Structures are given as structure tokens and as C-alpha cells.
Amino acid sequence: MTARIERPLSPHIQTYRWTLTMALSIVHRATGIALYLGTLLLAWWLIAAASGPSAYASLQAFTGSFIGKLIVFGYTWALMHHLLSGIRHFVWDLGYGFKANEREALTWAALIGGIVLTVLIWIIAYAIGGGR
């Protein structure tokens, strides 16, 4: 039998103090998964548009319902947040934004920017008549 080698364990998640940067890194991954699932809705829209008026009407009935609007709103937020968080990661890949205050500023910008862009998109959509 071989002797067990004592070596240091990798720090567990309970060891770290949670930060906004850590939380939004996880949210970035979750929004990526949500975008995959939301692409099914996009595919449904394209197939319904190609299939004719009755198929498109059933899609419109779903997306016009409260649940449908909530899902599309969530998809919009996931897209905007993932976009801005991806830009944040790109800035880091370029070697910038690693100081503590810069990390916090980029993280808050991605969080607030995603919410603001989502609300702006929906306000514009309703203003031009897309929310009927």
C-alpha cells in the first residue's frame, strides 16, 4: 500500500469572502446558459414567422402574455448583462482593470449598465409600438 502524500488542499469556496466581482462572474456564466435556452425562443420565432400566420399568432399569444413578456424581458437582461460582462472580461484580457477600484468600477458598470440598457430597450420598444 502506498503512503498518503500530505499536500495542501485547494481553498474551498467557504474560505473566500464573497465579493461583487465573484458573484457577477458566476452570473456571467448563468446568463450564458440562459442565452442558450433563450435561443430556443428565437428559433421558435423564426420558425413561426416562416410557417405562416396561424403559427405566428400562437407565438404572439405566448410572448404577449405576462409570462412571455417576463421571459423576453429576462432574455433581454441576460443578453445585455452578458454583453457588458464580456466587455469587462475583454478589458481584463487586455491587461487592464486589475486594481481593486478598477475591478469594482468595471463590475458595477456591467451590473448597472445591463439593467439600464434593458430598461431603455423596452422603453424604446414600447415607444415605437413593439409592446402592444
Side-chain angles (χ1 to χ4, degrees):
M1 195 183 308
T2 43
R4 182 179 165 137
I5 300 171
E6 294 295 326
R7 52 186 147 170
L9 296 175
S10 177
H12 192 267
I13 198 160
Q14 295 169 340
T15 303
Y16 294 109
R17 182 181 58 86
W18 278 91
T19 64
L20 184 64
T21 306
M22 289 171 64
L24 284 190
S25 182
I26 293 168
V27 170
H28 179 71
R29 290 173 177 87
T31 56
I33 293 167
L35 291 175
Y36 273 111
L37 297 174
T39 301
L40 294 174
L41 185 62
L42 180 63
W44 182 21
W45 176 66
L46 291 171
I47 292 167
S51 297
S54 63
Y56 194 74
S58 67
L59 170 80
Q60 286 295 93
F62 173 73
T63 56
S65 70
F66 176 75
I67 295 295
K69 286 182 181 181
L70 192 62
I71 289 171
V72 175
F73 185 84
Y75 183 77
T76 307
W77 173 78
L79 184 62
M80 293 301 103
H81 178 77
H82 198 78
L83 169 74
L84 294 178
S85 197
I87 292 170
R88 174 178 60 123
H89 282 274
F90 181 66
V91 169
W92 288 342
D93 288 343
L94 292 174
Y96 301 105
F98 287 113
K99 294 178 185 169
N101 60 340
E102 293 171 344
R103 273 193 326 266
E104 286 292 314
L106 286 171
T107 303
W108 279 107
L111 178 63
I112 294 169
I115 294 167
V116 168
L117 283 175
T118 300
V119 170
L120 281 175
I121 287 169
W122 277 70
I123 288 171
I124 291 168
Y126 269 91
I128 63 173
R132 288 186 218 152

